[in-house]
């Protein structure tokens, strides 16, 4: 009962006897699935592009924060070195005091804003400077 079937495959004919796709046929379903996959893939790529933009923004922000923290550390270490050298100069005449090299940073201190530590260092230095001035004034009177 296959009177319309040809012995030559449809792909090898000139296009005659090429079956038309019927709605709901396997070919139409395949094309629909491929179209859905393409759309899903494009949505996924757009989502990935958006995610990359977001992550690049985070990366730039974190690099800027790291640069700022690194600069703050450099400034703080320099300030500590300047204070240490000034203290050594202040106490140079104190022959009884053994002055050692600048100690390594203490890393076990509780986390606080760096400004608090900088201000504490300045206050301690000023207090030492005032004490040294008072002592030198007392020495002059007794001398």
């Amino acid at each position: 009962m296959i009177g319309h079937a040809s012995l030559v495959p449809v792909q090898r004919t000139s296009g005659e006897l090429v079956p038309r796709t019927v709605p709901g046929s396997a070919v139409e379903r395949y094309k629909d699935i491929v179209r859905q996959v393409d759309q899903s893939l494009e949505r996924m790529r757009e989502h990935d592009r958006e995610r990359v933009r977001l992550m690049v923004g985070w990366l730039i922000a974190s690099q800027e924060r790291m640069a700022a923290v690194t600069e703050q550390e450099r400034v703080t270490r320099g300030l500590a070195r300047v204070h240490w050298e000034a203290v050594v100069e202040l106490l140079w005449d104190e022959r009884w005091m053994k002055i050692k090299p600048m100690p390594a940073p203490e890393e076990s201190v509780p986390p606080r804003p760096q400004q608090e530590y900088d201000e504490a260092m300045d206050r301690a230095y000023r207090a030492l400077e005032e004490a040294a001035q008072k002592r030198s004034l007392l020495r002059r009177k007794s001398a």
Side-chain angles (χ1 to χ4, degrees):
M1 288 281 176
I2 310 180
H4 68 282
S6 168
L7 296 175
V8 180
V10 175
Q11 295 89 344
R12 294 189 180 167
T13 63
S14 62
E16 317 162 353
L17 303 177
V18 174
R20 301 175 104 194
T21 57
V22 196
S25 71
V27 172
E28 283 297 317
R29 288 192 309 268
Y30 174 78
K31 287 180 179 180
D32 188 45
I33 290 170
V34 168
R35 190 173 25 258
Q36 289 174 7
V37 168
D38 282 345
Q39 291 169 351
S40 296
L41 186 61
E42 185 54 39
R43 283 192 309 269
M44 197 166 62
R45 285 181 178 154
E46 181 55 38
H47 178 263
D48 288 348
R49 283 189 290 268
E50 182 58 36
R51 191 80 176 142
V52 165
R53 281 191 290 273
L54 179 66
M55 289 180 164
V56 165
W58 290 347
L59 178 63
I60 290 170
S62 71
Q63 288 174 337
E64 288 171 352
R65 283 193 309 274
M66 276 301 293
V69 166
T70 301
E71 178 62 18
Q72 178 62 43
E73 178 188 20
R74 189 186 67 73
V75 168
T76 300
R77 285 182 187 268
L79 185 61
R81 193 174 304 109
V82 166
H83 276 95
W84 182 261
E85 290 168 3
V87 165
V88 168
E89 189 175 315
L90 269 174
L91 300 176
W92 189 255
D93 292 332
E94 302 297 327
R95 303 276 182 221
W96 60 271
M97 185 175 280
K98 188 172 187 178
I99 299 176
K100 298 179 182 179
M102 183 172 165
E106 177 60 51
E107 308 231 353
S108 64
V109 295
R112 291 192 184 126
Q114 183 61 43
Q115 187 177 1
E116 287 183 30
Y117 290 115
D118 292 344
E119 289 170 356
M121 184 170 50
D122 286 338
R123 282 192 307 271
Y125 176 73
R126 281 194 305 266
L128 177 66
E129 198 173 37
E130 288 174 14
Q133 286 175 355
K134 288 177 185 176
R135 184 172 170 100
S136 65
L137 288 175
L138 292 175
R139 277 190 185 165
R140 285 187 194 154
K141 287 183 179 178
S142 63

mmCIF file with all atom_site columns, all heavy atoms in Angstrom, residues 12-30:
data_model
loop_
_atom_site.group_PDB
_atom_site.id
_atom_site.type_symbol
_atom_site.label_atom_id
_atom_site.label_alt_id
_atom_site.label_comp_id
_atom_site.label_asym_id
_atom_site.label_entity_id
_atom_site.label_seq_id
_atom_site.pdbx_PDB_ins_code
_atom_site.Cartn_x
_atom_site.Cartn_y
_atom_site.Cartn_z
_atom_site.occupancy
_atom_site.B_iso_or_equiv
_atom_site.pdbx_formal_charge
_atom_site.auth_seq_id
_atom_site.auth_comp_id
_atom_site.auth_asym_id
_atom_site.auth_atom_id
_atom_site.pdbx_PDB_model_num
ATOM 1   N N   . ARG A 1 12 ? 17.958 12.511 -2.533  1.00 0.00 ? 12 ARG A N   1
ATOM 2   C CA  . ARG A 1 12 ? 18.659 12.372 -3.811  1.00 0.00 ? 12 ARG A CA  1
ATOM 3   C C   . ARG A 1 12 ? 17.772 12.719 -4.998  1.00 0.00 ? 12 ARG A C   1
ATOM 4   O O   . ARG A 1 12 ? 18.190 12.583 -6.132  1.00 0.00 ? 12 ARG A O   1
ATOM 5   C CB  . ARG A 1 12 ? 19.166 10.954 -3.962  1.00 0.00 ? 12 ARG A CB  1
ATOM 6   C CG  . ARG A 1 12 ? 20.235 10.639 -2.932  1.00 0.00 ? 12 ARG A CG  1
ATOM 7   C CD  . ARG A 1 12 ? 20.879 9.342  -3.218  1.00 0.00 ? 12 ARG A CD  1
ATOM 8   N NE  . ARG A 1 12 ? 21.889 9.077  -2.210  1.00 0.00 ? 12 ARG A NE  1
ATOM 9   C CZ  . ARG A 1 12 ? 22.466 7.933  -2.037  1.00 0.00 ? 12 ARG A CZ  1
ATOM 10  N NH1 . ARG A 1 12 ? 22.173 6.925  -2.827  1.00 0.00 ? 12 ARG A NH1 1
ATOM 11  N NH2 . ARG A 1 12 ? 23.360 7.767  -1.103  1.00 0.00 ? 12 ARG A NH2 1
ATOM 12  N N   . THR A 1 13 ? 16.624 13.167 -4.761  1.00 0.00 ? 13 THR A N   1
ATOM 13  C CA  . THR A 1 13 ? 15.746 13.551 -5.870  1.00 0.00 ? 13 THR A CA  1
ATOM 14  C C   . THR A 1 13 ? 15.856 15.032 -6.100  1.00 0.00 ? 13 THR A C   1
ATOM 15  O O   . THR A 1 13 ? 16.486 15.757 -5.346  1.00 0.00 ? 13 THR A O   1
ATOM 16  C CB  . THR A 1 13 ? 14.282 13.187 -5.563  1.00 0.00 ? 13 THR A CB  1
ATOM 17  O OG1 . THR A 1 13 ? 13.871 13.930 -4.430  1.00 0.00 ? 13 THR A OG1 1
ATOM 18  C CG2 . THR A 1 13 ? 14.108 11.712 -5.327  1.00 0.00 ? 13 THR A CG2 1
ATOM 19  N N   . SER A 1 14 ? 15.233 15.532 -7.075  1.00 0.00 ? 14 SER A N   1
ATOM 20  C CA  . SER A 1 14 ? 15.313 16.952 -7.414  1.00 0.00 ? 14 SER A CA  1
ATOM 21  C C   . SER A 1 14 ? 14.368 17.786 -6.576  1.00 0.00 ? 14 SER A C   1
ATOM 22  O O   . SER A 1 14 ? 14.197 18.964 -6.831  1.00 0.00 ? 14 SER A O   1
ATOM 23  C CB  . SER A 1 14 ? 14.980 17.137 -8.900  1.00 0.00 ? 14 SER A CB  1
ATOM 24  O OG  . SER A 1 14 ? 13.654 16.703 -9.128  1.00 0.00 ? 14 SER A OG  1
ATOM 25  N N   . GLY A 1 15 ? 13.762 17.217 -5.619  1.00 0.00 ? 15 GLY A N   1
ATOM 26  C CA  . GLY A 1 15 ? 12.864 17.978 -4.772  1.00 0.00 ? 15 GLY A CA  1
ATOM 27  C C   . GLY A 1 15 ? 11.438 17.554 -4.954  1.00 0.00 ? 15 GLY A C   1
ATOM 28  O O   . GLY A 1 15 ? 10.551 17.936 -4.220  1.00 0.00 ? 15 GLY A O   1
ATOM 29  N N   . GLU A 1 16 ? 11.205 16.766 -5.996  1.00 0.00 ? 16 GLU A N   1
ATOM 30  C CA  . GLU A 1 16 ? 9.860  16.242 -6.150  1.00 0.00 ? 16 GLU A CA  1
ATOM 31  C C   . GLU A 1 16 ? 9.636  15.248 -5.017  1.00 0.00 ? 16 GLU A C   1
ATOM 32  O O   . GLU A 1 16 ? 10.566 14.711 -4.469  1.00 0.00 ? 16 GLU A O   1
ATOM 33  C CB  . GLU A 1 16 ? 9.713  15.508 -7.486  1.00 0.00 ? 16 GLU A CB  1
ATOM 34  C CG  . GLU A 1 16 ? 10.332 16.188 -8.639  1.00 0.00 ? 16 GLU A CG  1
ATOM 35  C CD  . GLU A 1 16 ? 10.535 15.233 -9.808  1.00 0.00 ? 16 GLU A CD  1
ATOM 36  O OE1 . GLU A 1 16 ? 10.318 14.029 -9.677  1.00 0.00 ? 16 GLU A OE1 1
ATOM 37  O OE2 . GLU A 1 16 ? 10.923 15.730 -10.840 1.00 0.00 ? 16 GLU A OE2 1
ATOM 38  N N   . LEU A 1 17 ? 8.545  15.018 -4.667  1.00 0.00 ? 17 LEU A N   1
ATOM 39  C CA  . LEU A 1 17 ? 8.169  14.085 -3.629  1.00 0.00 ? 17 LEU A CA  1
ATOM 40  C C   . LEU A 1 17 ? 8.732  14.430 -2.251  1.00 0.00 ? 17 LEU A C   1
ATOM 41  O O   . LEU A 1 17 ? 8.798  13.594 -1.379  1.00 0.00 ? 17 LEU A O   1
ATOM 42  C CB  . LEU A 1 17 ? 8.617  12.653 -3.986  1.00 0.00 ? 17 LEU A CB  1
ATOM 43  C CG  . LEU A 1 17 ? 8.106  12.091 -5.294  1.00 0.00 ? 17 LEU A CG  1
ATOM 44  C CD1 . LEU A 1 17 ? 8.712  10.709 -5.516  1.00 0.00 ? 17 LEU A CD1 1
ATOM 45  C CD2 . LEU A 1 17 ? 6.596  11.980 -5.304  1.00 0.00 ? 17 LEU A CD2 1
ATOM 46  N N   . VAL A 1 18 ? 9.223  15.654 -2.076  1.00 0.00 ? 18 VAL A N   1
ATOM 47  C CA  . VAL A 1 18 ? 9.708  16.074 -0.757  1.00 0.00 ? 18 VAL A CA  1
ATOM 48  C C   . VAL A 1 18 ? 8.480  16.292 0.104   1.00 0.00 ? 18 VAL A C   1
ATOM 49  O O   . VAL A 1 18 ? 7.616  17.083 -0.248  1.00 0.00 ? 18 VAL A O   1
ATOM 50  C CB  . VAL A 1 18 ? 10.554 17.358 -0.846  1.00 0.00 ? 18 VAL A CB  1
ATOM 51  C CG1 . VAL A 1 18 ? 10.931 17.860 0.536   1.00 0.00 ? 18 VAL A CG1 1
ATOM 52  C CG2 . VAL A 1 18 ? 11.776 17.123 -1.699  1.00 0.00 ? 18 VAL A CG2 1
ATOM 53  N N   . PRO A 1 19 ? 8.412  15.596 1.222   1.00 0.00 ? 19 PRO A N   1
ATOM 54  C CA  . PRO A 1 19 ? 7.205  15.737 2.037   1.00 0.00 ? 19 PRO A CA  1
ATOM 55  C C   . PRO A 1 19 ? 7.152  17.107 2.700   1.00 0.00 ? 19 PRO A C   1
ATOM 56  O O   . PRO A 1 19 ? 8.172  17.657 3.085   1.00 0.00 ? 19 PRO A O   1
ATOM 57  C CB  . PRO A 1 19 ? 7.351  14.628 3.078   1.00 0.00 ? 19 PRO A CB  1
ATOM 58  C CG  . PRO A 1 19 ? 8.804  14.313 3.123   1.00 0.00 ? 19 PRO A CG  1
ATOM 59  C CD  . PRO A 1 19 ? 9.346  14.645 1.775   1.00 0.00 ? 19 PRO A CD  1
ATOM 60  N N   . ARG A 1 20 ? 5.982  17.653 2.761   1.00 0.00 ? 20 ARG A N   1
ATOM 61  C CA  . ARG A 1 20 ? 5.784  18.931 3.432   1.00 0.00 ? 20 ARG A CA  1
ATOM 62  C C   . ARG A 1 20 ? 5.682  18.662 4.926   1.00 0.00 ? 20 ARG A C   1
ATOM 63  O O   . ARG A 1 20 ? 5.197  17.631 5.331   1.00 0.00 ? 20 ARG A O   1
ATOM 64  C CB  . ARG A 1 20 ? 4.507  19.602 2.928   1.00 0.00 ? 20 ARG A CB  1
ATOM 65  C CG  . ARG A 1 20 ? 4.558  19.830 1.438   1.00 0.00 ? 20 ARG A CG  1
ATOM 66  C CD  . ARG A 1 20 ? 3.262  20.368 0.962   1.00 0.00 ? 20 ARG A CD  1
ATOM 67  N NE  . ARG A 1 20 ? 3.438  21.789 0.720   1.00 0.00 ? 20 ARG A NE  1
ATOM 68  C CZ  . ARG A 1 20 ? 2.448  22.624 0.547   1.00 0.00 ? 20 ARG A CZ  1
ATOM 69  N NH1 . ARG A 1 20 ? 1.226  22.210 0.607   1.00 0.00 ? 20 ARG A NH1 1
ATOM 70  N NH2 . ARG A 1 20 ? 2.685  23.881 0.323   1.00 0.00 ? 20 ARG A NH2 1
ATOM 71  N N   . THR A 1 21 ? 6.183  19.638 5.743   1.00 0.00 ? 21 THR A N   1
ATOM 72  C CA  . THR A 1 21 ? 6.093  19.445 7.186   1.00 0.00 ? 21 THR A CA  1
ATOM 73  C C   . THR A 1 21 ? 4.687  19.775 7.638   1.00 0.00 ? 21 THR A C   1
ATOM 74  O O   . THR A 1 21 ? 4.110  20.787 7.257   1.00 0.00 ? 21 THR A O   1
ATOM 75  C CB  . THR A 1 21 ? 7.107  20.335 7.919   1.00 0.00 ? 21 THR A CB  1
ATOM 76  O OG1 . THR A 1 21 ? 6.878  21.666 7.549   1.00 0.00 ? 21 THR A OG1 1
ATOM 77  C CG2 . THR A 1 21 ? 8.522  19.928 7.609   1.00 0.00 ? 21 THR A CG2 1
ATOM 78  N N   . VAL A 1 22 ? 4.172  18.917 8.401   1.00 0.00 ? 22 VAL A N   1
ATOM 79  C CA  . VAL A 1 22 ? 2.821  19.066 8.896   1.00 0.00 ? 22 VAL A CA  1
ATOM 80  C C   . VAL A 1 22 ? 2.919  19.629 10.314  1.00 0.00 ? 22 VAL A C   1
ATOM 81  O O   . VAL A 1 22 ? 3.790  19.231 11.074  1.00 0.00 ? 22 VAL A O   1
ATOM 82  C CB  . VAL A 1 22 ? 2.118  17.690 8.949   1.00 0.00 ? 22 VAL A CB  1
ATOM 83  C CG1 . VAL A 1 22 ? 0.620  17.860 9.081   1.00 0.00 ? 22 VAL A CG1 1
ATOM 84  C CG2 . VAL A 1 22 ? 2.482  16.835 7.766   1.00 0.00 ? 22 VAL A CG2 1
ATOM 85  N N   . PRO A 1 23 ? 2.060  20.596 10.692  1.00 0.00 ? 23 PRO A N   1
ATOM 86  C CA  . PRO A 1 23 ? 2.113  21.103 12.050  1.00 0.00 ? 23 PRO A CA  1
ATOM 87  C C   . PRO A 1 23 ? 1.997  19.944 13.036  1.00 0.00 ? 23 PRO A C   1
ATOM 88  O O   . PRO A 1 23 ? 1.173  19.066 12.883  1.00 0.00 ? 23 PRO A O   1
ATOM 89  C CB  . PRO A 1 23 ? 0.901  22.034 12.147  1.00 0.00 ? 23 PRO A CB  1
ATOM 90  C CG  . PRO A 1 23 ? 0.547  22.366 10.742  1.00 0.00 ? 23 PRO A CG  1
ATOM 91  C CD  . PRO A 1 23 ? 1.014  21.214 9.909   1.00 0.00 ? 23 PRO A CD  1
ATOM 92  N N   . GLY A 1 24 ? 2.904  19.987 14.050  1.00 0.00 ? 24 GLY A N   1
ATOM 93  C CA  . GLY A 1 24 ? 2.883  18.927 15.047  1.00 0.00 ? 24 GLY A CA  1
ATOM 94  C C   . GLY A 1 24 ? 3.738  17.746 14.634  1.00 0.00 ? 24 GLY A C   1
ATOM 95  O O   . GLY A 1 24 ? 3.836  16.770 15.367  1.00 0.00 ? 24 GLY A O   1
ATOM 96  N N   . SER A 1 25 ? 4.341  17.835 13.465  1.00 0.00 ? 25 SER A N   1
ATOM 97  C CA  . SER A 1 25 ? 5.187  16.726 13.040  1.00 0.00 ? 25 SER A CA  1
ATOM 98  C C   . SER A 1 25 ? 6.506  16.755 13.815  1.00 0.00 ? 25 SER A C   1
ATOM 99  O O   . SER A 1 25 ? 6.827  17.715 14.496  1.00 0.00 ? 25 SER A O   1
ATOM 100 C CB  . SER A 1 25 ? 5.455  16.813 11.533  1.00 0.00 ? 25 SER A CB  1
ATOM 101 O OG  . SER A 1 25 ? 6.336  17.897 11.276  1.00 0.00 ? 25 SER A OG  1
ATOM 102 N N   . ALA A 1 26 ? 7.274  15.709 13.690  1.00 0.00 ? 26 ALA A N   1
ATOM 103 C CA  . ALA A 1 26 ? 8.559  15.604 14.392  1.00 0.00 ? 26 ALA A CA  1
ATOM 104 C C   . ALA A 1 26 ? 9.504  16.729 13.966  1.00 0.00 ? 26 ALA A C   1
ATOM 105 O O   . ALA A 1 26 ? 10.238 17.288 14.790  1.00 0.00 ? 26 ALA A O   1
ATOM 106 C CB  . ALA A 1 26 ? 9.190  14.247 14.120  1.00 0.00 ? 26 ALA A CB  1
ATOM 107 N N   . VAL A 1 27 ? 9.489  17.088 12.700  1.00 0.00 ? 27 VAL A N   1
ATOM 108 C CA  . VAL A 1 27 ? 10.355 18.158 12.203  1.00 0.00 ? 27 VAL A CA  1
ATOM 109 C C   . VAL A 1 27 ? 9.983  19.487 12.856  1.00 0.00 ? 27 VAL A C   1
ATOM 110 O O   . VAL A 1 27 ? 10.848 20.245 13.294  1.00 0.00 ? 27 VAL A O   1
ATOM 111 C CB  . VAL A 1 27 ? 10.273 18.250 10.659  1.00 0.00 ? 27 VAL A CB  1
ATOM 112 C CG1 . VAL A 1 27 ? 11.006 19.467 10.142  1.00 0.00 ? 27 VAL A CG1 1
ATOM 113 C CG2 . VAL A 1 27 ? 10.790 16.983 10.011  1.00 0.00 ? 27 VAL A CG2 1
ATOM 114 N N   . GLU A 1 28 ? 8.708  19.778 12.931  1.00 0.00 ? 28 GLU A N   1
ATOM 115 C CA  . GLU A 1 28 ? 8.261  21.024 13.563  1.00 0.00 ? 28 GLU A CA  1
ATOM 116 C C   . GLU A 1 28 ? 8.607  21.040 15.051  1.00 0.00 ? 28 GLU A C   1
ATOM 117 O O   . GLU A 1 28 ? 9.049  22.051 15.585  1.00 0.00 ? 28 GLU A O   1
ATOM 118 C CB  . GLU A 1 28 ? 6.751  21.220 13.370  1.00 0.00 ? 28 GLU A CB  1
ATOM 119 C CG  . GLU A 1 28 ? 6.364  21.686 11.997  1.00 0.00 ? 28 GLU A CG  1
ATOM 120 C CD  . GLU A 1 28 ? 6.947  23.050 11.669  1.00 0.00 ? 28 GLU A CD  1
ATOM 121 O OE1 . GLU A 1 28 ? 6.919  23.958 12.530  1.00 0.00 ? 28 GLU A OE1 1
ATOM 122 O OE2 . GLU A 1 28 ? 7.453  23.200 10.554  1.00 0.00 ? 28 GLU A OE2 1
ATOM 123 N N   . ARG A 1 29 ? 8.408  19.934 15.718  1.00 0.00 ? 29 ARG A N   1
ATOM 124 C CA  . ARG A 1 29 ? 8.751  19.852 17.144  1.00 0.00 ? 29 ARG A CA  1
ATOM 125 C C   . ARG A 1 29 ? 10.259 20.049 17.336  1.00 0.00 ? 29 ARG A C   1
ATOM 126 O O   . ARG A 1 29 ? 10.702 20.751 18.240  1.00 0.00 ? 29 ARG A O   1
ATOM 127 C CB  . ARG A 1 29 ? 8.284  18.526 17.748  1.00 0.00 ? 29 ARG A CB  1
ATOM 128 C CG  . ARG A 1 29 ? 6.771  18.460 17.898  1.00 0.00 ? 29 ARG A CG  1
ATOM 129 C CD  . ARG A 1 29 ? 6.330  17.283 18.754  1.00 0.00 ? 29 ARG A CD  1
ATOM 130 N NE  . ARG A 1 29 ? 6.877  16.000 18.363  1.00 0.00 ? 29 ARG A NE  1
ATOM 131 C CZ  . ARG A 1 29 ? 6.301  15.144 17.519  1.00 0.00 ? 29 ARG A CZ  1
ATOM 132 N NH1 . ARG A 1 29 ? 5.122  15.439 16.988  1.00 0.00 ? 29 ARG A NH1 1
ATOM 133 N NH2 . ARG A 1 29 ? 6.869  13.991 17.218  1.00 0.00 ? 29 ARG A NH2 1
ATOM 134 N N   . TYR A 1 30 ? 11.057 19.433 16.454  1.00 0.00 ? 30 TYR A N   1
ATOM 135 C CA  . TYR A 1 30 ? 12.516 19.577 16.534  1.00 0.00 ? 30 TYR A CA  1
ATOM 136 C C   . TYR A 1 30 ? 12.912 21.043 16.358  1.00 0.00 ? 30 TYR A C   1
ATOM 137 O O   . TYR A 1 30 ? 13.718 21.576 17.117  1.00 0.00 ? 30 TYR A O   1
ATOM 138 C CB  . TYR A 1 30 ? 13.185 18.708 15.467  1.00 0.00 ? 30 TYR A CB  1
ATOM 139 C CG  . TYR A 1 30 ? 14.676 18.899 15.392  1.00 0.00 ? 30 TYR A CG  1
ATOM 140 C CD1 . TYR A 1 30 ? 15.521 18.314 16.326  1.00 0.00 ? 30 TYR A CD1 1
ATOM 141 C CD2 . TYR A 1 30 ? 15.235 19.681 14.390  1.00 0.00 ? 30 TYR A CD2 1
ATOM 142 C CE1 . TYR A 1 30 ? 16.885 18.503 16.275  1.00 0.00 ? 30 TYR A CE1 1
ATOM 143 C CE2 . TYR A 1 30 ? 16.599 19.872 14.317  1.00 0.00 ? 30 TYR A CE2 1
ATOM 144 C CZ  . TYR A 1 30 ? 17.423 19.283 15.257  1.00 0.00 ? 30 TYR A CZ  1
ATOM 145 O OH  . TYR A 1 30 ? 18.774 19.473 15.197  1.00 0.00 ? 30 TYR A OH  1
#
